[in-house]
Amino acid sequence: VLLVIATVGVIYFLNSSTLTKARDTFATCQTVLKQNRFTEAERQCESALNIANEVQYFKSGDRDKLIAEINSVLNSQPLTEGLKGNLPLDGKYLPRDVVKTITAFRYFMAEGDKHFADKSWQQAESSYQQALNIANDKKGVDPKLIFAVTELRKIAEFRDLLRSGTKFISLGKWILATEDLNKALALVQTLNIEDKAETINTITEKLAEIALATSKEKGDTAFAEGRWKNALDHYKEALKAGEESKDTDRKVMAQLKELVIKANLYNTISTGKD
């Protein structure tokens, strides 16, 4: 009796151990499946199935339940599609490369949106451009999304140029300010933004402000060097730029008119002496 009991106990222990091993192997199968390692998942599940089939006595109910679970995973859509090279995205299975492309595009698009919301225009433009580069290199991205990101990138570029141009004005760097604002003016013409007309007027005013400042500086230099004709021409340009701008200070306009008169007078006297 003791021998029979011992034998039964050993068989029960071995079957329990085998069933535990099958469960552990099946758990590994499920883990690697979540990691999209489909070939390894299939191998682990088939191994778990073979181990479970070794359970002959006792635990038959648990064995049959485990076998059903393993077969369910082996025949599941994630594994069968994964073995074909497909991955799930938005409720459907697409080729792995396409999924990677779309996922990367969406990542950089989201980064761009974040920077755009923070008004970090340069970073937003960079992220959007990375998204567009990915879409251009590989197929699979929705053309509507590409168009939307293209427009957002242009807006971010425009805002950055406007910010940069305005900053250069405050620093008195007229050439750099003019370059950025002219680019911004050309770009805004192609954009569909709410304050488009107002923005164009703002840029035009800033360019007029630059034209006035640069012409006056050139006039002052020529005036100091006694080149009256050149000074007169530059002061007239500055006066014209001031008249075209609605925001020009009256004192500045009065000063320019006075300088035009002085330069004209000295030019006339110089010509008379000659």
Side-chain angles (χ1 to χ4, degrees), residues 13-24:
F13 174 76
L14 291 175
N15 278 268
S16 296
S17 299
T18 302
L19 189 62
T20 300
K21 183 179 179 181
R23 284 174 176 161
D24 291 341

Side-chain angles (χ1 to χ4, degrees), residues 98-136:
V98 173
V99 171
K100 287 185 176 180
T101 298
I102 295 174
T103 303
F105 176 87
R106 289 179 178 177
Y107 170 79
F108 285 110
M109 179 181 174
E111 286 290 301
D113 290 342
K114 179 182 177 181
H115 292 309
F116 195 96
D118 294 337
K119 296 184 178 180
S120 301
W121 308 120
Q122 195 170 29
Q123 292 88 335
E125 180 190 354
S126 176
S127 294
Y128 286 140
Q129 186 58 57
Q130 285 181 284
L132 291 173
N133 290 341
I134 291 171
N136 291 333

Side-chain angles (χ1 to χ4, degrees), residues 114-178:
K114 179 182 177 181
H115 292 309
F116 195 96
D118 294 337
K119 296 184 178 180
S120 301
W121 308 120
Q122 195 170 29
Q123 292 88 335
E125 180 190 354
S126 176
S127 294
Y128 286 140
Q129 186 58 57
Q130 285 181 284
L132 291 173
N133 290 341
I134 291 171
N136 291 333
D137 291 340
K138 297 181 180 179
K139 298 180 180 179
V141 182
D142 187 345
K144 292 181 180 179
L145 280 179
I146 295 176
F147 176 78
V149 170
T150 301
E151 291 300 299
L152 288 170
R153 190 206 64 78
K154 288 165 62 178
I155 293 174
E157 180 186 4
F158 162 72
R159 296 296 181 190
D160 185 50
L161 286 169
L162 183 58
R163 177 199 58 77
S164 176
T166 303
K167 182 179 180 180
F168 283 135
I169 289 177
S170 66
L171 297 174
K173 298 182 178 181
W174 311 121
I175 296 177
L176 294 175
T178 301

